[in-house]
Amino acid sequence: MNIEETIAVIAELPISTQVLLPSLTGYKRPYDKIDSLVSGGYLQQLRRGIYVAGAKIKTPHPELFLLANHLYGPSYVTAESALSYWGLIPEKVIRVTSVTTRKSKLFKTHLGNFYYFHIPQQGYIIGLCQVQLSNQQTVIMASPEKALCDLIVQTRGLNLRTVRQTMRFLEEDIRFDTRALRTMNEVLIADCVSHCPKSNSLLVLSKTIQSYAETMAGYV
């Protein structure tokens, strides 16, 4: 199997230099061969050491969420990106937003933009899910509750103080499907209050969820 065929086999995944090198042992200058694969349309470079299959490879390519997990880690997809995936906001999100324990960073690539914002380790580990996008593609993503908390944390200038203000933010600013508030995991939200930044705003979110559930229960 030549290197082009090898790329086709693994095209549904991000491709690292370390994955490519064992197939290039027959070349005196394997890194020059990688450069020629890029210029020939068999590979596209996202950043140093990370590639995806190029336009000449016709087999399925990796989803943006999977690329986000691999571009900068440890990280998981969250905020608007995860909320859109879960069907809780109507907008299709162009930029993929992730959380990392490393410093905040923005990657601009030919496939799209990937933004990562920092959260301390104790807040990072709450509410993570493994989501299977295809047989070969499994991504780490925030649960709906954690994605909403992360969105509040990363939105500059947003300080929630009242239930009314919070409902306005949900309904008007992000057009959140408030029906989902009835089934949100309040224990997970409480963990975010205890361990994530903007604890006061997240506490108001928790009170808003409780208030909404109580209000809707009155209509049953």
Side-chain angles (χ1 to χ4, degrees):
M1 185 181 296
N2 62 32
I3 184 60
E4 291 81 4
E5 292 169 335
T6 299
I7 293 171
V9 170
I10 59 176
E12 202 170 347
L13 302 172
I15 303 169
S16 67
T17 301
Q18 288 70 29
V19 169
L20 291 170
L21 288 177
S23 299
L24 299 173
T25 54
Y27 294 87
K28 292 183 178 179
R29 297 180 177 178
Y31 289 94
D32 288 349
K33 178 58 178 178
I34 291 174
D35 289 341
S36 72
L37 290 168
V38 173
S39 61
Y42 293 97
L43 287 175
Q44 299 179 70
Q45 186 175 31
L46 291 183
R47 68 168 177 82
R48 185 176 181 181
I50 297 290
Y51 304 85
V52 294
K56 286 191 176 179
I57 304 297
K58 302 305 180 183
T59 50
H61 286 41
E63 300 285 347
L64 293 182
F65 286 180
L66 184 63
L67 293 179
N69 280 181
H70 284 258
L71 265 178
Y72 194 61
S75 66
Y76 64 86
V77 175
T78 192
E80 302 101 320
S81 299
L83 291 174
S84 178
Y85 175 83
W86 296 120
L88 296 176
I89 60 174
E91 281 76 18
K92 180 178 174 62
V93 179
I94 298 175
R95 184 183 75 174
V96 179
T97 300
S98 301
V99 154
T100 180
T101 54
R102 299 168 68 183
K103 69 178 183 179
S104 298
K105 198 172 184 69
L106 173 65
F107 290 92
K108 294 183 176 181
T109 78
H110 58 280
L111 294 179
N113 295 337
F114 300 84
Y115 174 63
Y116 301 79
F117 67 94
H118 170 81
I119 278 185
Q121 178 67 28
Q122 63 268 28
Y124 177 93
I125 60 176
I126 299 168
L128 303 187
C129 305
Q130 285 192 331
V131 177
Q132 189 166 4
L133 302 181
S134 73
N135 288 336
Q136 294 191 53
Q137 300 190 51
T138 301
V139 304
I140 303 174
M141 188 183 303
S143 66
E145 296 90 347
K146 184 62 180 302
L148 181 55
C149 288
D150 285 340
L151 177 60
I152 291 170
V153 169
Q154 69 104 30
T155 301
R156 293 182 179 179
L158 178 64
N159 293 294
L160 301 176
R161 296 183 176 88
T162 67
V163 170
R164 177 177 293 183
Q165 178 198 7
T166 304
M167 287 301 295
R168 187 166 60 247
F169 168 73
L170 294 174
E171 293 175 334
E172 299 178 11
D173 292 358
I174 65 172
R175 298 204 289 165
F176 184 85
D177 183 355
T178 53
R179 294 172 297 179
L181 296 178
R182 298 182 66 179
T183 58
M184 285 204 152
N185 185 332
E186 294 185 30
V187 174
L188 197 157
I189 298 288
D191 285 344
C192 291
V193 172
S194 298
H195 299 293
C196 293
K198 285 194 180 181
S199 59
N200 289 338
S201 289
L202 298 183
L203 180 58
V204 176
L205 172 65
S206 178
K207 293 178 179 178
T208 301
I209 292 171
Q210 294 171 11
S211 175
Y212 183 85
E214 291 169 1
T215 299
M216 297 308 295
Y219 290 99
V220 177

